[in-house]
Each structure stands twice: as structure tokens, then as C-alpha cells.
């Protein structure tokens, strides 16, 4: 195996992150054509590599199914990306900044639950593929056979070639068999005379006379004399004496028809 150094580009990390995201339940793959005139395809990743620290971090824009536990879906996406990046490239994922750019409602599909996320396989069990050794053999090709010479008798006369008789083709006389159509004369109306209206002379504008500004006149208002207002001093209330109430006399009521 060659020990020459190699370099992994940012595009490879973005592709690994995209495949890992699409495997998580609740993550929606959105086409740019279906997202509208100014839409973008999702998920979308921008990878930044720190080669000295042997680490990478991502800026992600995702589309999440609705309804679904969005926080749990994003956490599962982070874990899947980190596991697969380390498995394929041995790089560590330092940080993943996630922006949920769209919620996609799917009324026909099943609802994503935390139970679906629990059964999701975060990483990939990468196994080496062992191929059997094949013994390559050169194909055995038969040698080219020698061509046998062909003898041609040049003294034979060439036989006569007969062609079928020429078929006559009719090129005229077609109109004689078709009933002629009587053309009717077409009368065109006489040309109309176009009259040009006489030019209209523009009328002059009427002169507007503005009266000169008059000077302001001084307005004098009459002065009203001040009147003295007198206030009556407060007087204490006077005591009023009322007669004593008269005591009531008893009244005796006798039955009707009785004597008093």
C-alpha cells in the first residue's frame, strides 16, 4: 500500500454530512425546484477544515418534518455526522452550527417520534472488503489463415442487362378533366379622399391683472372699564326657634249603630 500523503477536500466532508443527514428520520430532502423561485436545496452544508488540529466544523441549513421532535432530530443529525466523518476520514467534528431553514408538513406520511430516532443507527460499521486473487491468463488467438488465391477467367463475355420498359408519366391535361370554376369579378370601392383639417391657430392667453397689495390698516378695539366686584362677607347662621309639637289626643272608635 502506498504511503504517499493525500488531502481531503471540503466537498467530501459536505457530501458525508449530507448522506448522514438524509438517513435520520425527520430530516427532509428538499429540492431547489420545489422550494420556490428563490429557494435552495436542503440539506445544505459548508465545511471548514482545521488540518493542524485534524478537525472540521460545519454550518448547516436543514429542513425538518412537521410535526416531529425537532430538537431530538437535530441532535441525532449531529451525532450521525460526527460518527460517519470520523469513521470515513478519522477527522473529529469540532462544531456543527444548525439552522432550521424550513419545516415541511407531510400529512400522508407517518409521524416521526422519539422511538424512531432511538432505533436509528448513528454510525456505519465500515468493514474491509477482501477480494479473492484472480489468475490472469492471456487469451489464446488462432493464427490468421492464409488467403487462397482467386482465379478469374477474363475471357468470358459480359451478359446483357435488360431493364424494364419506361413507364410514361402524364405531365399535362389535368385541368381538362376538372370542371372549370367560373371566376366572379371583384369590385373594389373607390378610394376615399382623406381630408386634412385646417390648422388651428393657438389662442393667446388672457392677461390676468392682479390688484396691488393694499397696506394693512390699524385696527383699534374699545377699552372696557374695570368694574369693582364686592364680595359679601360670610354671615353666621341664625338660630331659628320652632314651637313645641302638640300632643295627640286619644280617639275612641265605636262600632256602627252604637251609642256614643
Amino acid at each position: 500500500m502506498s504511503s504517499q500523503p493525500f488531502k481531503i477536500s471540503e466537498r467530501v466532508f459536505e457530501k458525508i454530512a449530507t448522506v448522514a443527514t438524509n438517513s435520520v428520520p425527520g430530516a427532509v430532502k428538499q429540492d431547489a425546484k420545489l422550494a420556490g423561485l428563490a429557494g435552495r436545496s436542503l440539506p445544505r452544508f459548508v465545511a471548514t477544515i482545521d488540518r493542524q488540529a485534524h478537525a472540521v466544523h460545519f454550518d448547516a441549513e436543514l429542513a425538518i418534518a412537521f410535526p416531529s421532535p425537532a430538537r431530538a432530530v437535530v441532535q441525532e443529525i449531529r451525532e450521525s455526522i460526527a460518527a460517519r466523518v470520523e469513521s470515513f476520514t478519522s477527522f473529529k467534528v469540532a462544531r456543527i452550527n444548525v439552522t432550521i431553514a424550513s419545516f415541511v408538513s407531510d400529512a400522508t406520511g407517518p409521524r416521526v417520534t422519539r422511538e424512531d430516532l432511538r432505533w436509528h443507527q448513528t454510525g456505519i460499521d465500515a468493514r474491509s472488503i477482501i477480494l479473492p486473487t484472480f489468475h490472469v491468463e492471456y487469451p489464446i488467438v488462432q493464427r490468421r489463415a492464409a488467403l487462397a488465391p482467386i482465379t478469374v477467367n477474363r475471357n468470358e463475355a459480359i451478359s446483357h442487362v435488360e431493364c424494364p420498359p419506361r413507364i410514361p408519366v402524364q405531365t399535362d391535361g389535368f385541368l381538362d378533366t376538372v370542371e372549370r370554376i367560373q371566376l366572379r369579378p371583384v369590385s373594389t370601392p373607390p378610394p376615399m379622399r382623406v381630408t386634412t383639417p385646417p390648422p388651428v391657430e393657438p389662442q393667446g392667453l388672457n392677461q390676468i391683472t392682479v390688484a396691488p397689495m393694499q397696506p394693512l390698516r390699524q385696527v383699534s378695539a374699545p377699552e372696557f372699564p374695570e368694574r369693582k366686584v364686592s364680595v359679601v362677607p360670610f354671615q353666621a347662621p341664625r338660630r331659628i326657634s320652632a314651637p313645641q309639637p302638640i300632643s295627640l289626643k286619644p280617639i275612641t272608635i265605636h262600632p256602627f249603630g252604637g251609642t256614643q
Side-chain angles (χ1 to χ4, degrees), residues 64-139:
I64 303 299
F66 181 83
S68 64
R71 187 181 297 273
V73 171
V74 171
Q75 183 61 28
E76 187 68 20
I77 290 174
R78 283 195 173 104
E79 294 177 1
S80 297
I81 293 174
R84 300 194 184 191
V85 167
E86 185 176 4
S87 176
F88 289 134
T89 65
S90 72
F91 272 68
K92 297 290 185 180
V93 176
R95 184 176 68 254
I96 303 177
N97 299 325
V98 175
T99 300
I100 299 179
S102 175
F103 277 104
V104 180
S105 178
D106 187 5
T108 59
R111 179 176 180 177
V112 178
T113 61
R114 295 181 183 272
E115 188 69 16
D116 299 331
L117 298 174
R118 189 172 68 87
W119 287 101
H120 173 254
Q121 184 179 358
T122 303
I124 292 180
D125 186 12
R127 300 178 182 178
S128 59
I129 301 175
I130 301 176
L131 298 177
T133 304
F134 295 94
H135 180 66
V136 180
E137 297 181 355
Y138 292 99

Side-chain angles (χ1 to χ4, degrees), residues 164-204:
R166 184 178 181 182
I167 301 176
V169 178
Q170 183 179 356
T171 58
D172 54 358
F174 294 101
L175 296 178
D176 297 339
T177 58
V178 180
E179 183 179 358
R180 294 182 179 273
I181 300 175
Q182 184 67 27
L183 299 179
R184 293 179 298 173
V186 178
S187 60
T188 57
M192 298 178 61
R193 182 179 181 183
V194 180
T195 58
T196 304
V200 178
E201 297 182 359
Q203 297 181 0

Side-chain angles (χ1 to χ4, degrees), residues 212-224:
M213 183 178 296
Q214 300 292 335
L216 300 178
R217 293 181 300 172
Q218 186 176 4
V219 179
S220 61
E223 297 182 357
F224 293 93

Side-chain angles (χ1 to χ4, degrees), residues 44-55:
R44 186 180 183 87
F45 290 91
V46 177
T48 304
I49 304 174
D50 186 356
R51 301 190 184 276
Q52 294 181 354
H54 209 64

Side-chain angles (χ1 to χ4, degrees), residues 10-11 13-22 40-48 57-62 77-78 81 96-98:
E10 288 82 355
R11 181 58 181 165
F13 288 97
E14 294 169 1
K15 186 64 175 180
I16 295 174
T18 301
V19 174
T21 300
N22 292 334
R40 304 171 68 180
S41 59
L42 298 175
R44 186 180 183 87
F45 290 91
V46 177
T48 304
H57 72 266
F58 296 93
D59 292 324
E61 295 182 12
L62 306 178
I77 290 174
R78 283 195 173 104
I81 293 174
I96 303 177
N97 299 325
V98 175

